Amino acid sequence: MYISSVGLLTSFTRAFFGELCNMLSKSYGLTEIQRRIDEVKLFLSVTLSIANAHTVEFYTQDVWSRFMATPPQEVLSTLGSATDQQREPGHQAKEQPRTTFGFCSDTNRLVDVCELLQAAKAHSLPGLGVCMSRDELLQALRENRSKSGAPPAEIGAELETDEFMNSKKSHEVQSMSEVVACLAQRCRVKQVIDVGSGKGYLSSFLSLQYGLQVYGIDSSSTNTHGAHERNRKLKKFSRAYQKHNKAVRGQGEAATYSLQEELGEIKPGTDGDNYVLHDDGAAIVSQEEDKVLIGISDVNLAVERNSEPNPETDELFLSALSVDVLQPTSPRVPPRQLSAEERERRKKENLERKAQNRAASVMFSPLTSYVTAETELRELINELEDAVMVGLHTCGDLAPSTLRMFVAKPELASVCSVGCCYHLLSEEFDPAGQECLPGVCGFPLSQYLRDQSWFCGRNARMSACLALERVSLGQGIQMESLFYRAVLHVILRDHYSSFKSEKRVGNVYSKAKSFVDYVRRALSRLELDESKLSDSDIQDYHDTYAPRRGEMHAFNMLKVTLAPCIEGLILLDRLCYLKEQEDLSFSALVQLFDPLLSPRCYAIIGLKSYRDRVSC
């Protein structure tokens, strides 16, 4: 029986993440973080085999029988009814084998789903209680700022980010920029280095909203060029925005000048990140998660979307600022008709305006460079002063490189790093992974885990990209796609010697009209002889494994429940790395974003101690 995943994990998710609002504000020390790491490691040492099981090989390797001693219906039913309550006494009446986190100690197969779910909850970041909330962090920074006498933040005219960003990006930029601005005030610096700045949304907002001098570094020249153009156009209209806001406050009504008349007709479309403008945030699925869900074991995951400049996007970006931001221009008066006093006043205004333009032109500087922990920032930025380093969803190894850079560079006073794309991390001790030099790999970062030669494995890191909250709302796993791919692997095993080829099928599912069509397209992509199989032969495979489709569904739902625990270990490793440094006064894991809008919602925050800061 196949059960829909819509609503399946709702109860479990509510229980799992209900404690987020009660996160501790205490900043734990190194010993306590190491103890939490040991707890998660112990849990994953028993359960990681599920996360590392290859979905493509689900039937060829008989994965369900290897790891599970319960029927799939029981797993799905337990997931759908999980709550904060303990198992009812009646369920404990029947004799159970000796278990560890629900796995039989003798056979290493799962026998108690409820015990596993309770353990997964306890070993997630919310369950471990090691995170601060964003509000707690801001309160602590502001309290210390007031005690130290630091001036309040310089805030420009309020920019409505949701007018030129989708709801996900707007939420991220607004939430993170306020934290970054507070860190800059706390450290008394005016410069920010945005690593992996992409299209420059965060950088532009930090410079225009908070008056910070931002250097955005991205390895893609296309992104850098796009960020420069976008920021140039936004600056062009920011003063008009300010005038407009002042006029509205002063007169109680907006000006009547229409920006559409200036720009011409605007066509509907999408913004530069391929998201629909003004879309419902809950319906937006990041590329990282979308790729992992649709092709969890087969799609060659791309790091970035196509980022070619989009003229239509630029028009939308400008038009979305406001239809009334520009004031009507005053009639031009010939200079000879002006009084000497008026001419002098206008000359002074022009000089001041030019000076402001020169200053504004360097508030955000997009740079193209591939950066690592060894990168000399002063060679990239001639005007570099003490700065805050930030990274919003820095991909793969770039997130740990950002933390290494923060520790190594004395000019970096603070760091705020939100990583993503765990599947692209390099692992120093993964025997199946690519070799990487010690101290350069993305995981583990801390000396504590490196001394233990710990590794997760690529499939487990891919599982860490899954979002429990979104799956619980039905924005989840494309189960039919995974089922098709697993059955295709059986066909490749039975009829083709190249079923272990490095060639990838890719996302042919989205174009396929049926399973037979899917297999035909896949064989063509793999350059294999299609004539070996008739349509009826192919359909027979589908019909043979269709009754076992529930096994794959239940197994992948268990992967989803383990995802927060794997992500938690990766993030605790990064926090532990900062705790191991002697010159840091404060370091913490902070939940910056709503996980429904932005599943990779945790930031690593660090402050250095030698800048006369009071520890939070």
Side-chain angles (χ1 to χ4, degrees):
M1 179 178 64
Y2 178 71
I3 303 175
S4 171
S5 62
V6 178
L8 180 64
L9 292 176
T10 302
S11 298
F12 177 67
T13 304
R14 191 179 297 115
F16 202 112
F17 287 91
E19 299 167 3
L20 280 172
C21 60
N22 299 317
M23 286 187 298
L24 302 178
S25 60
K26 179 180 178 181
S27 175
Y28 288 103
L30 175 61
T31 302
E32 187 64 25
I33 295 302
Q34 289 175 342
R35 187 173 74 83
R36 294 294 199 274
I37 287 176
D38 288 341
E39 292 175 8
V40 180
K41 273 180 51 207
L42 178 61
F43 174 69
L44 291 179
S45 67
V46 176
T47 62
L48 204 60
S49 57
I50 288 181
N52 268 320
H54 211 304
T55 307
V56 167
E57 300 172 341
F58 189 80
Y59 297 122
T60 58
Q61 298 293 326
D62 201 11
V63 170
W64 184 265
S65 297
R66 285 169 54 201
F67 297 112
M68 310 295 294
T70 56
Q73 292 82 2
E74 181 180 334
V75 174
L76 296 174
S77 175
T78 305
L79 284 167
S81 60
T83 66
D84 278 328
Q85 302 301 318
Q86 296 293 321
R87 186 191 293 106
E88 296 179 6
H91 287 275
Q92 297 176 347
K94 98 175 160 177
E95 186 176 348
Q96 292 281 353
R98 190 165 55 91
T99 61
T100 305
F101 304 126
F103 285 80
C104 176
S105 300
D106 296 326
T107 66
N108 295 326
R109 298 169 74 199
L110 181 65
V111 296
D112 191 333
V113 181
C114 189
E115 183 181 351
L116 173 63
L117 299 187
Q118 290 173 356
K121 173 186 172 183
H123 292 90
S124 68
L125 289 178
L128 294 169
V130 294
C131 295
M132 295 180 71
S133 71
R134 176 177 172 274
D135 289 342
E136 286 173 329
L137 175 66
L138 289 173
Q139 181 180 355
L141 290 173
R142 286 164 178 160
E143 286 177 355
N144 284 322
R145 182 194 68 201
S146 61
K147 290 177 183 177
S148 65
E154 296 181 12
I155 301 179
E158 189 70 26
L159 295 177
E160 299 295 334
T161 55
D162 56 0
E163 293 185 350
F164 54 92
M165 302 179 201
N166 66 71
S167 57
K168 175 181 181 291
K169 184 65 69 176
S170 173
H171 171 66
E172 294 167 350
V173 167
Q174 285 190 315
S175 299
M176 189 167 183
S177 62
E178 186 175 5
V179 169
V180 173
C182 282
L183 289 172
Q185 296 159 34
R186 185 70 190 86
C187 301
R188 301 192 179 191
V189 301
K190 295 292 291 181
Q191 289 188 354
V192 173
I193 299 174
D194 184 3
V195 179
S197 54
K199 298 174 185 297
Y201 289 112
L202 177 64
S203 298
S204 293
F205 192 78
L206 283 169
S207 64
L208 292 170
Q209 185 68 37
Y210 293 98
L212 294 167
Q213 186 175 18
V214 185
Y215 296 94
I217 305 176
D218 196 272
S219 61
S220 167
S221 59
T222 302
N223 276 348
T224 302
H225 175 74
H228 178 78
E229 285 300 300
R230 188 173 290 102
N231 186 67
R232 179 182 65 81
K233 293 170 183 177
L234 181 55
K235 284 191 299 185
K236 176 181 178 182
F237 287 86
S238 64
R239 288 196 187 86
Y241 229 133
Q242 295 175 29
K243 291 180 182 178
H244 170 67
N245 287 347
K246 290 178 181 178
V248 170
R249 287 194 296 268
Q251 303 173 11
E253 59 182 13
T256 59
Y257 186 84
S258 172
L259 186 60
Q260 268 84 350
E261 295 176 6
E262 182 74 18
L263 293 175
E265 183 181 356
I266 305 301
K267 301 176 182 179
T270 57
D271 75 352
D273 277 340
N274 292 334
Y275 292 107
V276 178
L277 287 173
H278 306 293
D279 200 355
D280 180 10
I284 296 172
V285 179
S286 68
Q287 182 197 29
E288 171 204 23
E289 181 188 355
D290 183 56
K291 290 287 189 183
V292 172
L293 291 176
I294 293 176
I296 191 169
S297 305
D298 190 61
V299 177
N300 188 9
L301 295 150
V303 176
E304 295 179 351
R305 293 180 180 272
N306 181 12
S307 53
E308 291 297 325
N310 186 344
E312 183 176 299
T313 291
D314 291 337
E315 286 190 347
L316 275 169
F317 176 75
L318 296 176
S319 66
L321 291 176
S322 173
V323 295
D324 299 315
V325 295
L326 296 181
Q327 300 292 325
T329 56
S330 302
R332 177 175 173 80
V333 179
R336 62 178 179 275
Q337 296 181 16
L338 298 174
S339 64
E341 181 179 330
E342 179 66 14
R343 284 199 297 270
E344 185 62 28
R345 185 187 68 80
R346 292 194 177 190
K347 180 180 178 181
K348 183 178 180 181
E349 285 183 352
N350 286 335
L351 290 173
E352 290 177 350
R353 189 179 300 112
K354 289 180 180 179
Q356 291 173 356
N357 287 339
R358 283 194 295 271
S361 66
V362 295
M363 291 302 284
F364 170 41
S365 303
L367 306 170
T368 302
S369 178
Y370 180 82
V371 294
T372 66
E374 287 71 40
T375 300
E376 288 297 333
L377 295 175
R378 295 192 183 279
E379 293 181 2
L380 293 176
I381 307 168
N382 294 329
E383 305 83 4
L384 181 63
E385 302 172 0
D386 290 349
V388 175
M389 175 162 277
V390 303
L392 174 53
H393 290 153
T394 46
C395 190
D397 286 347
L398 185 55
S401 290
T402 299
L403 298 180
R404 285 193 178 104
M405 200 179 306
F406 163 66
V407 168
K409 311 297 182 186
E411 60 267 29
L412 298 179
S414 181
V415 67
C416 179
S417 172
V418 181
C420 70
C421 302
Y422 303 129
H423 57 286
L424 296 178
L425 280 172
S426 58
E427 290 197 77
E428 184 173 352
F429 302 105
D430 183 1
Q434 295 181 347
E435 292 186 8
C436 59
L437 297 174
V440 178
C441 290
F443 182 85
L445 185 61
S446 68
Q447 193 60 47
Y448 185 69
L449 276 182
R450 291 185 67 205
D451 287 344
Q452 301 174 57
S453 302
W454 180 267
F455 69 93
C456 292
R458 185 174 186 272
N459 288 332
R461 287 184 281 107
M462 288 182 72
S463 297
C465 297
L466 299 173
L468 177 62
E469 306 91 335
R470 285 181 169 176
V471 173
S472 70
L473 293 181
Q475 305 168 26
I477 300 176
Q478 299 266 349
M479 202 57 61
E480 186 174 65
S481 170
L482 300 180
F483 174 70
Y484 278 14
R485 184 60 185 89
V487 178
L488 170 67
H489 206 62
V490 178
I491 294 174
L492 294 177
R493 180 198 63 185
D494 292 350
H495 298 277
Y496 301 91
S497 59
S498 59
F499 77 102
K500 292 185 177 180
S501 169
E502 292 299 317
K503 293 181 180 178
R504 295 182 181 273
V505 173
N507 186 22
V508 300
Y509 171 79
S510 61
K511 300 176 182 178
K513 299 176 183 178
S514 65
F515 178 72
V516 173
D517 186 34
Y518 171 85
V519 173
R520 295 290 183 203
R521 290 175 179 270
L523 293 176
S524 176
R525 178 73 64 88
L526 296 173
E527 299 179 345
L528 296 175
D529 182 9
E530 299 179 42
S531 65
K532 283 187 176 184
L533 295 168
S534 66
D535 288 355
S536 61
D537 292 335
I538 295 173
Q539 188 61 40
D540 284 345
Y541 274 95
H542 176 279
D543 297 343
T544 298
Y545 286 93
R548 298 180 58 189
R549 185 169 167 178
E551 295 176 357
M552 176 175 281
H553 186 193
F555 195 83
N556 279 289
M557 294 314 243
L558 289 177
K559 278 192 171 189
V560 173
T561 65
L562 295 176
C565 307
I566 303 168
E567 179 184 31
L569 181 65
I570 293 171
L571 295 179
L572 284 172
D573 169 60
R574 294 174 184 179
L575 178 61
C576 185
Y577 171 75
L578 291 189
K579 296 289 184 185
E580 291 171 345
Q581 312 307 316
E582 295 182 354
D583 62 345
L584 266 65
S585 66
F586 173 78
S587 55
L589 258 173
V590 181
Q591 187 200 354
L592 286 190
F593 311 135
D594 179 347
L596 274 175
L597 279 174
S598 183
R600 305 283 77 79
C601 61
Y602 293 104
I604 305 290
I605 305 289
L607 283 162
K608 287 182 179 171
S609 59
Y610 55 79
R611 300 179 183 276
D612 195 30
R613 293 192 289 273
V614 180
S615 175
C616 293

